[in-house]
């Protein structure tokens, strides 16, 4: 664990209320705006409905009657996600969550940085540092991600070049950084490197060309790999790894 003082050299205060709620791990900034407008948040025991008012470190902010805080002790965890686990903190269908695998989640309000769908395996970060999570999730930071993909059929002649050139999806044109076969022994198995954080982008991309992704595994995320991390296991990031992630986009 690394202290707030070590990682956040500049003062965060005063801070907009919606940002404070997000940094405290309650929800995203957009959803925080909705909570405030609905009157679900109090500041110093008074209901506020303006999400952009500024709060100080000494103010008492409550949600559903409980005091919320930005944690003084931050956790930065890297999990090798197994299949059939969702990457959200709660689920109305009571499906298994990646947080069930994290011992620290029993005492800390932890949440994933981004998401992997239920059937996708591989690297995902988990933290209680909202500032860190918001930073990594922001598109401007161009986080590099590499996935290992197994398709439902052999790649037809000429289609690898099509994969490399990009395609027009429902939500816009998408072009991966790199697409290549993992090795010469299989034309169903590829590596794809991307920066996009759009929902299900890898699966949708191959579907665009008439292929179904059978297996999808994220092997690389922002300089982090699965080395020494078996499926279903997690570890704390080193101080150096955290600092490198904090400096992305600078």
């Amino acid at each position: 664990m690394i202290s707030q003082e070590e990682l956040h050299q500049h003062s965060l205060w005063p801070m907009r209320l919606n940002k404070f709620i997000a940094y405290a791990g309650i929800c995203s900034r957009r959803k925080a705006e909705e909570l405030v407008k609905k009157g679900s948040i109090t500041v110093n025991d008074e209901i506020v409905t303006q999400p952009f008012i500024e709060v100080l470190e000494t103010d008492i902010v409550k949600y559903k009657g409980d005091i919320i805080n930005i944690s003084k002790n931050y956790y930065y965890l890297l999990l090798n996600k197994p299949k059939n686990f969702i990457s959200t903190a709660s689920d109305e269908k009571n499906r298994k969550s990646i947080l069930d695998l994290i011992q620290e989640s029993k005492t800390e309000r932890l949440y994933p940085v981004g998401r992997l769908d239920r059937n996708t395996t591989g690297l995902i970060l988990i933290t209680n540092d909202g500032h860190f999570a918001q930073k990594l999730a922001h598109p401007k930071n161009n986080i590099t991600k590499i996935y290992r993909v197994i398709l439902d059929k052999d790649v037809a002649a000429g289609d690898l070049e099509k994969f490399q050139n990009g395609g027009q999806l429902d939500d816009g044109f998408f072009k991966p950084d790199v697409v290549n076969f993992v090795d010469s022994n299989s034309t169903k198995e590829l590596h794809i490197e991307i920066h996009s954080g759009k929902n299900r982008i890898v699966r949708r991309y191959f579907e665009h060309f008439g292929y179904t992704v059978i297996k999808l595994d994220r092997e690389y995320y922002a300089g982090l790999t699965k080395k020494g991390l078996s499926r279903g296991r997690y570890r704390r990031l080193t101080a150096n790894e955290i600092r490198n992630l904090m400096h992305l986009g600078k």
Side-chain angles (χ1 to χ4, degrees):
M1 191 160 42
I2 189 164
S3 71
Q4 179 178 8
E5 288 73 22
E6 287 180 287
L7 286 173
H8 297 282
Q9 300 297 325
H10 63 286
S11 174
L12 296 175
W13 310 101
M15 183 188 300
R16 286 185 174 182
L17 180 57
N18 66 317
K19 181 190 284 189
F20 176 90
I21 296 166
Y23 281 14
I26 303 300
C27 57
S28 68
R29 289 193 204 184
R30 182 174 296 179
K31 290 186 178 178
E33 290 180 31
E34 296 174 6
L35 288 179
V36 176
K37 290 176 180 178
K38 289 178 181 177
S40 302
I41 303 294
T42 64
V43 178
N44 300 325
D45 292 322
E46 292 187 6
I47 294 174
V48 294
T49 56
Q50 298 298 321
F52 304 120
I53 67 166
E54 292 187 332
V55 293
L56 301 172
E57 192 171 9
T58 52
D59 288 330
I60 298 174
V61 182
K62 293 182 181 179
Y63 171 55
K64 293 183 177 179
D66 295 326
I67 295 174
I68 59 175
N69 290 298
I70 298 176
S71 179
K72 300 296 183 183
N73 294 313
Y74 290 124
Y75 291 83
Y76 306 89
L77 309 174
L78 181 66
L79 170 71
N80 187 352
K81 176 188 171 298
K83 192 175 180 179
N84 295 322
F85 281 77
I86 62 167
S87 55
T88 56
S90 60
D91 178 59
E92 58 186 20
K93 298 179 181 178
N94 290 320
R95 293 174 293 183
K96 293 182 291 186
S97 165
I98 58 173
L99 295 182
D100 297 332
L101 302 169
I102 307 298
Q103 181 69 24
E104 289 84 348
S105 70
K106 296 177 181 179
T107 56
E108 299 289 333
R109 185 192 295 274
L110 301 174
Y111 43 90
V113 177
R115 294 185 181 182
L116 291 176
D117 66 46
R118 183 168 169 265
N119 292 320
T120 299
T121 59
L123 297 178
I124 189 165
L125 287 169
I126 298 167
T127 187
N128 60 345
D129 183 347
H131 176 68
F132 177 79
Q134 293 271 342
K135 180 180 178 63
L136 290 186
H138 200 290
K140 74 175 183 180
N141 289 314
N142 291 323
I143 302 298
T144 298
K145 291 158 276 194
I146 299 176
Y147 294 82
R148 192 182 188 105
V149 182
I150 298 179
L151 301 176
D152 62 328
K153 57 188 176 183
D154 292 316
V155 176
D159 278 0
L160 179 62
E161 185 176 357
K162 292 179 181 177
F163 297 160
Q164 295 168 336
N165 291 336
Q168 185 68 37
L169 306 184
D170 290 342
D171 55 351
F173 183 81
F174 173 72
K175 183 179 185 297
D177 301 309
V178 181
V179 185
N180 276 313
F181 293 120
V182 172
D183 56 50
S184 57
N185 297 322
S186 173
T187 55
K188 291 183 180 179
E189 197 166 352
L190 304 103
H191 275 139
I192 180 169
E193 178 180 325
I194 67 171
H195 284 91
S196 173
K198 289 184 177 179
N199 186 42
R200 300 186 73 253
I201 187 66
V202 174
R203 293 183 186 276
R204 292 191 292 117
Y205 186 64
F206 286 105
E207 287 169 5
H208 171 76
F209 294 100
Y211 295 84
T212 298
V213 173
I214 302 301
K215 291 185 179 180
L216 185 61
D217 184 67
R218 186 154 71 191
E219 297 186 329
Y220 179 98
Y221 181 89
L224 304 170
T225 71
K226 297 192 298 180
K227 183 178 180 181
L229 199 61
S230 57
R231 189 83 74 216
R233 307 289 293 181
Y234 69 97
R235 66 172 177 84
R236 291 184 178 182
L237 297 187
T238 66
N240 190 53
E241 287 171 333
I242 298 166
R243 290 190 183 95
N244 288 339
L245 292 172
M246 284 290 187
H247 283 87
L248 286 172
K250 290 186 177 180

